[in-house]
Amino acid sequence: VQTAILLYPGLTALDAIGPYDVLSRLPGMEMVFVAARTGEQRTDQGTCALVADATLDEVTGPDVVVVPGGFGVRSILADDAHLDWVRAVHEGTTWTTSVCTGALLLGAAGLLDGVAATTHWASYDHLAGFGARPTAERVVEVGRVVTAAGVSAGIDMALRLCAHLQGDDVARAIQLSIEYDPQPPFDTGAPHKAPAELVELLRGIVAEQEAAYS
Amino acid sequence: VQTAILLYPGLTALDAIGPYDVLSRLPGMEMVFVAARTGEQRTDQGTCALVADATLDEVTGPDVVVVPGGFGVRSILADDAHLDWVRAVHEGTTWTTSVCTGALLLGAAGLLDGVAATTHWASYDHLAGFGARPTAERVVEVGRVVTAAGVSAGIDMALRLCAHLQGDDVARAIQLSIEYDPQPPFDTGAPHKAPAELVELLRGIVAEQEAAYS
């Protein structure tokens, strides 16, 4: 059983590593980081690099696919190599998943047309542009397609996948092994919980950073 | 203002990337991954690699230090290069921190003698061996030394550091930007919340994996 996590320049590190550190604890699960080219992939903050060990051509039949988000996703949304790979592997997956703006790649590949899905809260409109129905839930499952909200939501999604793949007890054990008993010091992790001016401030910052990648 | 995150073979990826993806969003914060050697550092699951951009010698005055955990930490607990570096940079830090079993390195360096601290729940006894007083809290702050519980606790710790460094509003904005509104599908993220047999099962697995690294 194999999980492939897609890497590309400008991804968000935690989008990839949250699901990695959960799914990699599943007994018998083989993990592979895949990218257009092997080697270092700088993340969207520039000071972090994750390493791809396989090229897209080399990963043809993963059981689980995870597409992380990040500002850099915009540069692959119209790239045939990435779109063809997502469409091809989706034919054979048990679960095709995304975290944050990774959902935009699933959308661009045509997987979300008419489908309820989620992404980072600041990208609902962009997601809707691919025919998806943006949904403000932390994890949205429609058939084999599972989309998670922004960045940290990949951890919650991956624990759900563990339960689907190997049962609730295994998922509970993995939650305990990563001591996932979250205690954020504030309660502003979703737009409806945060002051409106903070939400608007961040929308502006996101738009600026997206522009830098366009 | 600089944050240095220590890498070494056999670290746990999420221990490092949780704090990275929070602290790297602080305005003006320079992030650097540091290790004995630059380049790829394989994490404890083997299928993931993070990249160190600087050697220990090159990072002499970080304001914040983060020591992640992982089974591989055991191989550096008696290594003078790592111990000397931790002691030297601690002289000048604003915050010296650890996630999970990263606390063992702080302990081995003599920073936790008589001090309340936390680590992964399966390593309390090991931590006590360095004179620390193991504490079952998610984040423990004693002066400039902040220790976080297992793996995922680094996210909560890093948000607290953001608040200390740049105020509550900035920390709240970062929480919203990573959409950290945790909704784990189960509630077994701490030993006191999990069935006793699950806790014992995992203690056995941890002991086996630690032995493989000793």
Side-chain angles (χ1 to χ4, degrees), chain A residues 12-15 17-18 20-21 24-25 31 33 40 42-51 53 119-121 124 138 149-153 155-156 159-160 163 168-169 171-173 175-194 198-199 202, chain B residues 12-15 17-18 20-21 24-25 31 33 40 42-51 53 119-121 124 138 149-153 155-156 159-160 163 168-169 171-173 175-194 198-199 202:
Chain A
T12 296
L14 186 53
D15 288 25
I17 297 300
Y20 172 81
D21 233 319
S24 64
R25 291 165 194 260
M31 304 294 296
F33 285 106
E40 294 186 14
R42 287 278 147 183
T43 68
D44 55 3
Q45 303 280 337
T47 45
C48 178
L50 306 179
V51 176
D53 287 326
T119 183
H120 190 283
W121 57 267
Y124 290 158
R138 192 146 177 89
V151 190
S152 61
I155 298 172
D156 296 326
L159 284 168
R160 285 212 206 184
D168 289 0
D169 284 349
R172 287 189 182 101
Q175 182 178 359
L176 180 57
S177 78
I178 63 164
E179 209 160 344
Y180 187 45
D181 180 28
Q183 295 171 29
F186 305 104
D187 189 20
T188 56
H192 69 276
K193 296 180 169 182
L198 188 58
V199 174
L202 277 174
Chain B
T12 296
L14 186 53
D15 288 27
I17 297 300
Y20 172 81
D21 232 319
S24 63
R25 291 164 195 259
M31 304 294 297
F33 284 106
E40 294 185 16
R42 287 278 146 183
T43 67
D44 54 3
Q45 304 279 339
T47 45
C48 179
L50 306 179
V51 176
D53 288 325
T119 183
H120 190 283
W121 56 267
Y124 290 159
R138 191 143 177 92
V151 190
S152 61
I155 298 172
D156 296 326
L159 283 169
R160 285 213 207 184
D168 289 0
D169 284 349
R172 287 190 181 102
Q175 182 178 358
L176 179 58
S177 78
I178 64 164
E179 210 160 343
Y180 187 45
D181 180 29
Q183 295 170 26
F186 305 103
D187 189 22
T188 56
H192 69 277
K193 296 181 169 183
L198 188 58
V199 174
L202 276 175

Side-chain angles (χ1 to χ4, degrees), chain B residues 94-105:
Chain B
T94 310
W95 299 102
T96 299
T97 77
S98 64
V99 180
C100 196
T101 52
L104 300 178
L105 186 66

